[in-house]
Amino acid sequence: MSADQVHFSSTAEASERQGFPVTTHPRVQRPRRRGDGWLWLTLAALMLFVLALAGGAAYVYRLYEGRIYPNVSIQGIAVGDMTPDQAEAALRARYAAFLRQPLIITYGDRQWTPTLDDLGMTFDFRGAVDRAYNAGRGNGLIGDVQEIAAIWQHGLEIPLRVSYDEMRAQAYLAHLAREIERAPADAQVRLDGEHVATVGSVIGRQVLVDATLSQVSQQLQSLAPATIPLQTRELPPRLDDAAVAAARSRIEMILQGPLSLRVGKHEYEWTVDELAQMIVIERVPSGEGDRVVVTLDRSAIEQRLRQIADETEKPGTRPRVAWNNGDLKITKPGKPGLRLDEARARDMVLAALTGRDRTLDLPMIPTDPPVTEANLHQLGIRELVSVGKSDFTGSAAYRVHNIGVGMQLLNGLLVAPGEEFSFNKNIGQINAANGFVEGAAIIQNRTQQEFGGGICQDSTTLFRAAFWAGLPITERWGHSFYISWYDKYALGPRGNGPGLDATIFTGGPDLKFMNDTGAWLLIQAWSDPKTGVAQIELYGTKPNRTVDLTHKVYDHTPAPTEPVFVADPKVPQGTIKHTDKARGGMTIDVYRLVIENGVPRPPELFRTRFRPWPNIYTLNPADIGPDGKPLIPFPSNEQPAQPAPPVEQPTEPPPPPGVEPQPEQNSGEQPPANG
């Protein structure tokens, strides 16, 4: 038997799996038999031999009492002639270094020194010594003699039993692994406002417990101190620094500077901070490691471009439409408009944000007119909604002409649902280029020659149409002084009376109303010089509403008796021109009463204040003295100031005191105006 042989035992037969030898009894070889003799001689010799053997055995017993027989060794260490304690001490001395430090486990500059107990390993020194001492003892005389003889002739090697609990060694390595293992950490990239921040990745570390345990188990069989490196492997992160660096480079490319966009004469700048808000950072898993995809939020870009398109759009013009007894007909087609090509603009922006050119001229494309033959009969224009009417009988030729021009400009106009209609915007410039001629208009508190005199007949007529349709009137101004011809047809079914006129002036007072009917409105306007009637019809979808009014005239004020003289270098010297005739003042309150779907609205107040108006004369500056009086004779045939004309009394009383009327916007003091 080899001197280095060690007997290991394990709780899970681990020793046998590791190849450790297992021996249960000492092996003693029997002496060879001697030759035969004659029977009697043999018997005699045998008797003598037994006697001698007994005596010899007794001698040996006494000689080696308390000591191990010679020629006995334990795990290659001769322990013959030793007491059991001496033998155990010799064994412990032989393995002292291993017992003191069986293993050193290293990793880099770190090391661990597990004890035998940590590794689950124990030595059965006492058991081996007891087996050595009991060899040749306790087997009876013949058995002991035979065993002693065999030991004497061949020697006896007793293995040292070593127990090894592999599970404890594994637990020790697992505990050690927790000290140095680390999980991998992915690289990171994020945007803090317009600044790019990155965090580097960390390579993970895993202890290969099973591989290290295999080395430990193998090395322990030598029963000699050893150094074993801890077996580990690296755990790469799913997202490494290279992937994050590529993402950072793309983000910095996008944020290299603001983006300038031009659409015609309009310029827009998307700041770096705004661009940063459009960046989308996504992590995409893959079998070979994750990657970071940096894209731009297409929906955010499209939304901003849509806002630009709305702001820069040049809408096509609406056509002129005729009611044509209910069979709508386009009399003048609308013109196409221009709008940003949003799809091309988006692609250009996406390309520019990953390139060097940061200034773009975005393209526009033609758009269809808002109303064409294709959708004309889908506008909800199917019935008469209201009528506005006024009288201009006896008007001067210039006034008749301008009223007709205004009506032509209004005729055929379309008003979209929810749209606020502006009289001034739709009439345009009141000048010769637009067909108007000069006539009398109230300018700077006196009547003067101005283009468009009479246009207020048109605004008054349209105001009445909107009034009787129950449309919200968002801006309306009354005239500065009383004009008698606006009384006729003013109160609709209630008859005639002052207070429902509307003056306008280019760049100033306007007439505005909202189309709240839910359908398009068509304006049909005309004037008849023969009858002196101006009329506007509104066609569309009539709401379920009724409109009525109450009318009150009060605060009558007589006309000033003192004339006013105004210097005008255009008046020939020595001439006096009577430009304005005196008239009285008054206040008129008109309450519009609207019932819609059976529910009354709060009364709406339309108040008009006519100021008293003096006789006004214009003279050449040379004909006016320091006291403001004429230096030339005043004509004796000039008419005295006229009192305020009689007016009809209210057809119905105003709302009771407990009802708060809704005053019409800008219905107070009236500014100068055409008309």
Side-chain angles (χ1 to χ4, degrees):
M1 180 176 296
S2 170
D4 293 330
Q5 185 177 23
V6 180
H7 183 199
F8 278 78
S9 64
S10 171
T11 57
E13 298 185 354
S15 300
E16 292 188 20
R17 292 197 301 272
Q18 298 295 333
F20 292 177
V22 179
T23 305
T24 57
H25 298 287
R27 293 165 57 191
V28 179
Q29 297 184 11
R30 298 293 181 181
R32 296 177 183 177
R33 295 181 61 188
R34 302 299 181 181
D36 298 329
W38 288 342
L39 178 60
W40 293 106
L41 291 175
T42 301
L43 289 174
L46 182 60
M47 290 297 294
L48 292 174
F49 175 75
V50 169
L51 293 173
L53 187 61
Y59 175 76
V60 171
Y61 287 157
R62 288 193 300 273
L63 181 63
Y64 289 98
E65 184 177 3
R67 292 182 297 151
I68 300 171
Y69 291 125
N71 214 18
V72 175
S73 60
I74 301 175
Q75 198 66 29
I77 300 174
V79 293
D81 290 324
M82 292 184 182
T83 66
D85 290 342
Q86 290 173 337
E88 183 175 351
L91 287 174
R92 291 185 177 277
R94 166 65 178 80
Y95 297 106
F98 184 76
L99 294 173
R100 187 171 53 254
Q101 186 59 65
L103 285 179
I104 297 176
I105 300 174
T106 64
Y107 178 79
D109 58 354
R110 300 181 65 181
Q111 66 178 24
W112 296 264
T113 54
T115 65
L116 285 177
D117 187 58
D118 293 333
L119 299 173
M121 192 174 189
T122 59
F123 284 75
D124 187 11
F125 292 117
R126 176 52 61 181
V129 169
D130 288 345
R131 288 193 296 276
Y133 180 78
N134 291 328
R137 292 182 174 91
N139 299 314
L141 177 63
I142 301 300
D144 287 348
V145 170
Q146 289 178 337
E147 192 169 6
I148 292 171
I151 293 172
W152 189 271
Q153 184 177 4
H154 301 289
L156 177 62
E157 174 69 21
I158 295 178
L160 177 62
R161 292 182 179 274
V162 179
S163 298
Y164 172 52
D165 187 351
E166 191 177 61
M167 297 296 290
R168 291 194 63 179
Q170 185 181 46
Y172 176 83
L173 292 175
H175 178 77
L176 181 150
R178 289 195 290 270
E179 295 184 25
I180 63 172
E181 280 187 334
R182 68 183 178 203
D186 293 331
Q188 300 178 32
V189 59
R190 66 177 182 274
L191 268 175
D192 293 332
E194 59 186 66
H195 302 288
V196 188
T198 59
V199 177
S201 63
V202 176
I203 297 175
R205 182 188 305 123
Q206 181 186 26
V207 174
L208 301 176
V209 173
D210 289 344
T212 305
L213 179 63
S214 178
Q215 282 189 302
V216 167
S217 298
Q218 184 177 1
Q219 185 60 44
L220 288 178
Q221 294 184 61
S222 69
L223 301 182
T227 299
I228 295 177
L230 192 66
Q231 300 296 308
T232 63
R233 71 169 181 176
E234 291 185 343
L235 299 176
R238 295 290 303 170
L239 187 62
D240 60 21
D241 294 345
V244 165
R248 178 181 187 129
S249 178
R250 180 172 173 81
I251 294 172
E252 290 175 342
M253 173 66 74
I254 295 172
L255 301 181
Q256 63 183 289
L259 183 67
S260 297
L261 307 176
R262 288 197 295 260
V263 183
K265 297 180 180 179
H266 300 271
E267 294 188 1
Y268 299 88
E269 181 178 275
W270 293 1
T271 64
V272 172
D273 183 64
E274 291 172 327
L275 295 177
Q277 297 176 32
M278 300 179 189
I279 293 177
V280 178
I281 303 174
E282 292 181 297
R283 179 169 174 170
V284 179
S286 66
E288 299 178 355
D290 297 353
R291 57 194 179 93
V292 177
V293 176
V294 177
T295 58
L296 290 158
D297 188 340
R298 293 169 69 96
S299 62
I301 292 175
E302 289 170 353
Q303 182 179 359
R304 290 181 67 97
L305 290 174
R306 191 173 304 115
Q307 292 174 350
I308 293 175
D310 292 341
E311 294 173 7
T312 60
E313 182 178 13
K314 298 177 180 178
T317 60
R318 297 170 186 169
R320 294 285 177 145
V321 177
W323 169 245
N324 198 31
N325 294 320
D327 183 15
L328 301 179
K329 180 181 179 181
I330 292 180
T331 58
K332 181 181 178 182
K335 295 180 180 179
L338 284 175
R339 183 177 174 88
L340 177 69
D341 187 341
E342 296 178 50
R344 285 183 58 199
R346 178 201 60 211
D347 294 341
M348 292 172 66
V349 167
L350 290 173
L353 289 177
T354 54
R356 296 295 180 185
D357 188 3
R358 313 295 282 186
T359 301
L360 297 177
D361 288 303
L362 301 182
M364 300 187 80
I365 54 176
T367 59
D368 292 333
V371 176
T372 63
E373 291 286 358
N375 63 354
L376 177 62
H377 295 280
Q378 301 170 7
L379 305 181
I381 302 173
R382 58 173 182 256
E383 60 187 323
L384 179 66
V385 176
S386 67
V387 176
K389 193 173 181 180
S390 68
D391 178 73
F392 60 96
T393 302
S395 291
Y398 75 86
R399 199 170 187 278
V400 173
H401 174 85
N402 287 336
I403 292 171
V405 170
M407 287 296 186
Q408 290 175 7
L409 293 173
L410 291 172
N411 188 45
L413 289 178
L414 293 169
V415 185
E419 177 184 355
E420 182 182 54
F421 179 90
S422 165
F423 185 93
N424 285 348
K425 180 179 178 181
N426 282 275
I427 288 293
Q429 293 296 316
I430 301 177
N431 53 27
N434 218 4
F436 292 97
V437 296
E438 286 188 323
I442 305 171
I443 302 174
Q444 296 178 350
N445 291 332
R446 66 188 180 92
T447 302
Q448 301 184 54
Q449 292 296 306
E450 178 70 20
F451 278 103
I455 190 65
C456 292
Q457 191 86 35
D458 301 319
S459 58
T460 294
T461 307
L462 182 59
F463 166 58
R464 292 172 181 178
F467 180 95
W468 290 110
L471 303 179
I473 310 298
T474 54
E475 182 176 350
R476 172 259 174 180
W477 300 83
H479 284 83
S480 299
F481 61 87
Y482 172 72
I483 303 174
S484 61
W485 58 72
Y486 285 132
D487 288 3
K488 195 171 183 181
Y489 309 125
L491 306 183
R494 297 292 181 181
N496 304 329
L500 279 185
D501 59 301
T503 184
I504 61 94
F505 195 81
T506 303
D510 196 359
L511 169 66
K512 296 179 181 179
F513 60 84
M514 298 291 298
N515 176 10
D516 68 341
T517 65
W520 288 70
L521 286 175
L522 169 62
I523 298 176
Q524 298 285 266
W526 55 270
S527 63
D528 188 346
K530 294 181 180 180
T531 61
V533 172
Q535 184 164 305
I536 290 179
E537 299 111 21
L538 298 180
Y539 291 93
T541 299
K542 186 177 178 63
N544 183 20
R545 64 175 63 145
T546 60
V547 180
D548 202 351
L549 61 77
T550 63
H551 181 258
K552 179 183 179 181
V553 182
Y554 58 98
D555 287 345
H556 293 282
T557 306
T561 57
E562 290 295 323
V564 174
F565 300 97
V566 179
D568 186 350
K570 294 181 181 179
V571 178
Q573 191 170 353
T575 303
I576 295 179
K577 187 176 180 180
H578 191 180
T579 61
D580 296 74
K581 291 185 179 181
R583 60 198 75 187
M586 69 185 85
T587 299
I588 306 99
D589 284 350
V590 175
Y591 286 90
R592 181 167 67 169
L593 309 175
V594 180
I595 300 176
E596 184 158 10
N597 297 320
V599 180
R601 291 184 188 171
E604 299 172 78
L605 172 61
F606 294 85
R607 174 170 291 159
T608 305
R609 290 190 178 96
F610 290 142
R611 291 182 292 167
W613 206 257
N615 283 308
I616 300 177
Y617 301 90
T618 56
L619 299 85
N620 190 281
D623 294 332
I624 297 180
D627 58 356
K629 303 293 184 179
L631 298 176
I632 59 177
F634 187 72
S636 59
N637 59 349
E638 290 295 333
Q639 297 295 321
Q642 298 295 319
V647 296
E648 297 184 11
Q649 294 303 311
T651 56
E652 289 185 11
V659 178
E660 181 66 24
Q662 301 297 313
E664 188 272 327
Q665 182 179 357
N666 297 329
S667 60
E669 195 68 25
Q670 298 77 27
N674 302 83

